[in-house]
Amino acid sequence: MTQKPEPSTGPLAGKTALVTGSSRGIGRAIAERLARAGARIAVHYHTRAEDARATATALAGSGHRLFPADLGQAEERRRLVRSVLSDMGGPHILVNNAGLYRLTPLLESPETVWLKDFEDLLNVNLIAPAHLAFLCARAMVEGGIHGRIINIGSRGAFRGEPEAPGYGAAKSGLHALTQSLALALGPHHIAVTAIAPGWVGTDMAKAHLEGPRGPSLLAQSPLGRVARPEEVAALTLYLAGEEAEYATGAVIDLNGASYLR
Ligand SMILES: NC(=O)c1ccc[n+]([C@@H]2O[C@H](COP(=O)([O-])OP(=O)(O)OC[C@H]3O[C@@H](n4cnc5c(N)ncnc54)[C@H](OP(=O)(O)O)[C@@H]3O)[C@@H](O)[C@H]2O)c1
């Protein structure tokens, strides 16, 4: 049996990190990376309890806990942050990673379906991170915590999402929210940043990457590939650290030069 490393003295030792949507994909890679740096992880999930348990079990260190919540529901968001606070303290780090992707092409969708999808995308991808930031930032200020809030945005916010306009709009709003909160929370030494990835090789992207458009999606980057979840996690680790305070307000592209602003 392989021994799990015990990072009792990493740069994030003693800190609690709430990572939303860490049952799989990018969130899981972020949870793993922050745990290796010593953080205790609040592993949040929605429907995939088994996967979330597997994430928590695989994490280095100890003191990690599981928290289910549908982030589309305001009361569940409140309950999530209350539970993390009472069970684990902090949170010192909030990673707003959970997200929903739905194709909602304007001219091909019935109005009611399109509107419902658009509302769901804004709710889960923008209102939920905003509400969680509100709740966690208040706890950070009350606790005198010089915290970090990291939002996982998207390249689609800049490049446009013709087939998923609700997704693009929500991510664009998330980037703007990042900048507003960086200004509002700077005096409290809470740094707020966003990462804007292009395609990342996760289950969310699988159907697209393995479908007929796959080769052209890979060719968007001169590297001829998409990002690995671990690459997003490595940047998240930097943004979660002490040295990233001055990065506050940054929306950082991580897209393999597939779209240069
Ligand atoms: N993959 C890409 O190409 C890509 C590119 C740019 C940006 N991003 C962003 O990166 C983030 C992670 O993406 P991913 O590819 O890792 O996605 P993923 O594999 O589909 O995982 C999504 C995560 O979000 C959670 N989630 C979804 N809806 C939720 C809800 N209503 N309430 C609570 N949790 C919910 C899921 O929980 P359960 O599994 O437990 O249901 C899951 O843990 C997202 O914000 C996404 O927009 C991804």
Side-chain angles (χ1 to χ4, degrees), residues 136-158:
C136 290
R138 291 204 164 203
M140 288 171 185
V141 171
E142 272 170 33
I145 294 170
H146 293 179
R148 301 283 181 263
I149 297 173
I150 300 148
N151 297 317
I152 306 301
S154 173
R155 175 188 67 172
F158 306 115

Side-chain angles (χ1 to χ4, degrees), residues 183-201:
L183 290 169
L185 298 173
H188 300 280
H189 298 279
I190 297 168
V192 189
T193 53
I195 300 174
W199 286 106
V200 184

Side-chain angles (χ1 to χ4, degrees), residues 12-24:
L12 300 183
K15 297 197 192 297
T16 296
L18 167 56
V19 184
T20 68
S22 43
S23 49
R24 65 180 195 162

Side-chain angles (χ1 to χ4, degrees), residues 21-27 44-48 69-72 97-100 124 152-154 167 171 197-200 202-205:
S22 43
S23 49
R24 65 180 195 162
I26 296 169
H44 158 265
Y45 66 97
H46 180 208
T47 55
R48 293 182 177 82
D70 175 1
L71 296 183
N97 163 79
L100 193 61
V124 174
I152 306 301
S154 173
Y167 181 83
K171 293 297 188 180
W199 286 106
V200 184
T202 67
D203 291 328
M204 182 191 263

